Amino acid sequence: MGLSKKDARTRQQKAAAANGTKVETTAGGVVKKAEKPKIACTVCKQEIIASMPISLRDHANKHPKVAPSVCFPGATIAA
């Protein structure tokens, strides 16, 4: 009798853990994605995903007395 899918997956995970190449997965066995890089607002310290220039612009509008380039120094902000 052959191995079930669950047994095969468990055997593969144990082998990967022994080799030091284990990949993080969810409880269902789906590979977890890496977290996206975030940047913190220098005024209120809220973290926003750095690759979303429109979100950065919208957040910078919450601080009308501060320029968007001051909120997120070095980040690309949508016009």
Side-chain angles (χ1 to χ4, degrees):
M1 188 167 176
L3 290 175
S4 68
K5 286 183 181 181
K6 184 176 179 182
D7 291 337
R9 183 177 63 227
T10 303
R11 182 179 284 180
Q12 186 179 25
Q13 287 174 348
K14 285 183 180 181
N19 292 335
T21 59
K22 184 176 179 183
V23 177
E24 291 295 319
T25 59
T26 63
V30 178
V31 177
K32 290 184 180 178
K33 293 183 180 180
E35 188 172 330
K36 294 182 179 181
K38 295 184 178 181
I39 187 169
C41 175
T42 58
V43 177
C44 66
K45 307 297 184 211
Q46 181 178 357
E47 289 187 343
I48 299 177
I49 298 173
S51 61
M52 299 178 68
I54 294 173
S55 295
L56 296 174
R57 179 197 64 200
D58 292 344
H59 177 79
N61 288 338
K62 294 179 181 179
H63 309 291
K65 295 182 181 179
V66 180
S69 59
V70 175
C71 281
F72 303 106
T76 304
I77 300 173

